[in-house]
Amino acid sequence: MTAGFSGQVSDDHDVAHAAGGLLTEAWARIAARMKSEVGEVEYRTWLQQIVLGPVDGDEVTLLLPTRFLRDWVRSQYGDRLSTLWNQEIPALRRVELQVMRPGDRPAVATTEQAAPIVPGRRVVDVPEAPAPVVERVQDARSDLVAPLDPRFTFDSFVVGKPNEFAYACARRVAEKPSSPGFNPLFLYGGVGLGKTHLMHAIGSELTREGRVSVAYMSAEKFMYRFIGAIRSQSTIEFKEQLRSVDVLMIDDLQFLIGKDNTQEEFFHTFNALVDAGRQIVVSADKSPSDLSGLEDRLRTRLGCGMVADIHATTFELRISILEAKATASGVPVPAKVLEFLAHKITTNVRELEGALNRLIAHANLFGRPVTLEATQEVLHDILKAHDRRVTIEEIQRKVSEHWNIRLTDMSSARRARAVARPRQVAMYLAKQLTSRSLPEIGRKFGNRDHTTVMHAVQRVTELMERDTAFAEDVELLRRMLES
Ligand code: ADP
Ligand code: MG
């Protein structure tokens, strides 16, 4: 016995009382609840297309346009939907997910305008959830839209010289997607410099009003989803899903190197979306032209819009980031500690952040103020791993190149200032950047005595205080050696 829900639910059952409007209302609440739980983007991609079907006994049927969507919704949201239905109407104990029959299959619809209508049933218009409860279940939902991390916003991104251009481009795309010249937006830079952060910020900004559908995923996930679709013979649905979004963001594109079929698929998706006036945002660890291993035509297209690189952080930017995060935490962290961290952890903002978080957690836990000593103790392991592995040979080479002297002069007996001064700087840097002792350093500089090294360190320190141009030179060398 299967009945359409509007007034045709079997009379002899409790559910009969829930007929018609009541059922629709219950479904509206469930849909709103799902929306607030999974987030706007995920909701629009997977759940919005659900059509309320018939009720039969203790079972309610929900209809989906494709097998692919049905399977996905069943595996990812099936249990939750059952629970919510049961909470709304205790007599309903089971949820059956079905593919619509060809006759009532709606047009592919991910947007409100293209709402599928099945006679006798209607798409429930989901009222706005009361407040966007961010209560995302951290399960391995390997779906099209990874939920956006609510912490990665434009406001929480600290802007400095190395990232200001990328930031400005990201903002621009978030304000006006698909503007000529900004499509695709290609963000590139080293690990932990904020590429993912900026992409999430664009996504959050665009979906805040709920008008634009955004799909964000890593290139790796793209590949797995694609392979999965091939296996389950649902590539058409996969393509339809991808091509129905307004903004597609693919993170860490370098992952596709050597994955020819996936690259090909991405290339076609890319073209289809751009041709349809949709926005693409891509990130990678290198510029399009340096991504050898990606097909030429794809590289060419990737470089056609706006290419923005995020440079390695400077000491100043690292300090600003630490200051912002320390302030946000509410735990006072002395400037000395921030400077110490910014000096020690230079390559990756994620690690810098991790170190600071650990300090703050420690301070909170033990109720002790953050001090330099505590920092060295608490971060012992991290700092050790970051102990610069610069060699004295490297320092000598860089310094000789910088002042244009011969490498052999680092250990020669010549005392002319043109060679003696760079040699002192190299000793100073060796003391600063390596864990070698003064006698060890002396030996590497033509078997000089440790007092000579000590004198060099003092001399360079004094000079740096007096002569800013000289100090800048030394700082520059230090930075080059550290990176
Ligand atoms: P990437 O994707 O380039 O490897 P992420 O975007 O994941 O790097 O950034 C790593 C971490 O560092 C994140 O927690 C991010 O919030 C933080 N981060 C990076 N750059 C900045 C910045 N300029 N301001 C604030 N946080 C940043
Ligand atoms: Mg990333």
Side-chain angles (χ1 to χ4, degrees):
M1 173 189 60
T2 300
F5 80 80
S6 36
Q8 296 167 49
V9 183
S10 53
D11 276 327
D12 55 2
H13 202 281
D14 277 0
V15 173
H17 307 298
L22 205 56
L23 208 54
T24 315
E25 279 165 28
W27 173 226
R29 280 191 297 272
I30 291 167
R33 182 69 191 266
M34 288 301 284
K35 191 177 186 177
S36 76
E37 284 182 7
V38 303
E40 177 76 31
V41 182
E42 204 165 316
Y43 178 81
R44 286 171 69 102
T45 312
W46 301 111
L47 300 166
Q48 186 161 283
Q49 299 181 63
I50 297 177
V51 173
L52 181 59
V55 167
D56 183 11
D58 62 354
E59 182 178 284
V60 57
T61 301
L62 299 177
L63 300 161
L64 281 140
T66 64
R67 192 162 53 85
F68 166 73
L69 266 175
R70 193 258 334 252
D71 293 347
W72 188 257
V73 168
R74 180 184 284 159
S75 69
Q76 303 297 316
Y77 313 101
D79 290 346
R80 187 67 188 140
L81 283 168
S82 294
T83 308
L84 290 175
W85 268 110
N86 190 245
Q87 280 169 8
E88 282 286 338
I89 304 172
L92 287 178
R93 287 180 228 283
R94 287 187 300 138
V95 171
E96 170 68 9
L97 290 156
Q98 272 179 18
V99 182
M100 283 170 219
R101 279 161 290 141
D104 52 18
R105 185 191 154 135
V108 175
T110 44
T111 54
E112 275 99 336
Q113 308 91 282
I117 300 297
V118 182
R121 303 164 188 150
R122 69 186 183 87
V123 180
V124 174
D125 225 11
V126 178
E128 270 310 306
V133 186
V134 185
E135 186 194 293
R136 271 169 207 141
V137 195
Q138 274 299 314
D139 60 5
R141 250 175 220 156
S142 55
D143 57 24
L144 206 149
V145 270
L148 298 168
D149 191 322
R151 291 168 307 164
F152 293 171
T153 60
F154 284 122
D155 284 344
S156 66
F157 192 82
V158 180
V159 185
K161 269 260 171 302
N163 59 26
E164 63 187 5
F165 183 64
Y167 174 84
C169 293
R171 270 235 109 114
R172 169 67 196 261
V173 166
E175 267 156 34
K176 248 180 118 205
S178 314
S179 334
F182 285 84
N183 199 13
L185 172 62
F186 188 101
L187 297 169
Y188 76 93
V191 177
L193 298 182
K195 301 182 293 294
T196 300
H197 187 134
L198 283 179
M199 291 175 101
H200 283 235
I202 295 172
S204 296
E205 193 80 16
L206 282 172
T207 49
R208 206 169 42 186
E209 320 251 284
R211 280 172 295 121
V212 178
S213 63
V214 177
Y216 163 88
M217 72 186 113
S218 65
E220 190 178 7
K221 193 156 282 173
F222 179 87
M223 187 187 82
Y224 289 126
R225 297 280 302 102
F226 177 52
I227 292 174
I230 294 174
R231 271 204 204 114
S232 61
Q233 299 181 325
S234 56
T235 44
I236 294 178
E237 286 89 343
F238 177 62
K239 282 175 204 202
E240 280 173 355
Q241 278 294 323
L242 278 177
R243 289 171 198 190
S244 66
V245 299
D246 299 315
V247 180
L248 176 66
M249 303 204 265
I250 303 285
D251 207 351
D252 290 320
L253 195 78
Q254 71 275 3
F255 182 83
L256 295 192
I257 286 174
K259 321 270 188 335
D260 294 349
N261 292 335
T262 313
Q263 254 183 60
E264 173 97 15
E265 181 57 30
F266 175 66
F267 181 70
H268 292 307
T269 306
F270 180 104
N271 287 335
L273 284 169
V274 171
D275 290 347
R278 314 286 169 77
Q279 174 77 45
I280 307 264
V281 181
V282 166
S283 86
D285 62 352
K286 295 192 196 68
S287 72
S289 51
D290 287 337
L291 279 174
S292 51
L294 277 197
E295 270 190 70
D296 285 347
R297 55 181 188 166
L298 178 55
R299 279 183 6 207
T300 309
R301 288 226 64 173
L302 286 170
C304 275
M306 183 55 70
V307 177
D309 55 345
I310 307 186
H311 299 276
T313 55
T314 55
F315 179 73
E316 293 72 31
L317 178 60
R318 291 197 294 279
I319 288 286
S320 308
I321 291 173
L322 286 169
E323 276 171 352
K325 309 224 173 207
T327 308
S329 80
V331 171
V333 183
K336 250 205 185 78
V337 169
L338 299 184
E339 278 166 31
F340 175 76
L341 290 178
H343 260 305
K344 285 281 184 182
I345 304 173
T346 54
T347 48
N348 186 326
V349 179
R350 189 178 294 117
E351 292 189 32
L352 196 62
E353 212 179 7
L356 182 68
N357 286 342
R358 206 203 282 187
L359 278 185
I360 289 166
H362 204 265
N364 279 332
L365 203 58
F366 296 104
R368 282 208 304 251
V370 179
T371 62
L372 201 51
E373 293 76 59
T375 301
Q376 273 159 327
E377 201 182 295
V378 174
L379 301 181
H380 177 74
D381 53 335
I382 300 182
L383 295 173
K384 211 166 122 197
H386 276 270
D387 242 350
R388 308 167 190 119
R389 275 173 228 107
V390 184
T391 61
I392 294 180
E393 287 74 15
E394 250 176 286
I395 295 172
Q396 293 177 329
R397 194 155 19 86
K398 270 273 181 311
V399 173
S400 320
E401 276 167 17
H402 185 77
W403 274 291
N404 213 7
I405 63 170
R406 283 191 306 254
L407 184 58
T408 49
D409 276 333
M410 283 288 152
S411 24
S412 77
R414 288 181 62 199
R415 285 159 163 267
R417 178 174 293 176
V419 295
R421 186 73 80 226
R423 193 189 294 131
Q424 285 178 327
V425 170
M427 288 182 197
Y428 166 88
L429 288 170
K431 181 73 194 99
Q432 296 275 312
L433 303 182
T434 73
S435 50
R436 303 280 167 182
S437 65
L438 295 177
E440 280 175 308
I441 295 171
R443 271 199 290 284
K444 297 263 188 184
F445 286 83
N447 268 327
R448 284 178 158 81
D449 191 68
H450 77 276
T451 52
T452 311
V453 182
M454 210 153 65
H455 174 72
V457 173
Q458 278 163 5
R459 190 85 190 102
V460 171
T461 310
E462 276 164 28
L463 272 175
M464 282 177 74
E465 274 160 22
R466 272 195 275 129
D467 183 345
T468 44
F470 176 75
E472 270 168 26
D473 270 356
V474 178
E475 263 314 306
L476 180 74
L477 279 163
R478 177 215 290 280
R479 244 178 253 158
M480 288 193 313
L481 286 160
E482 274 177 350
S483 58

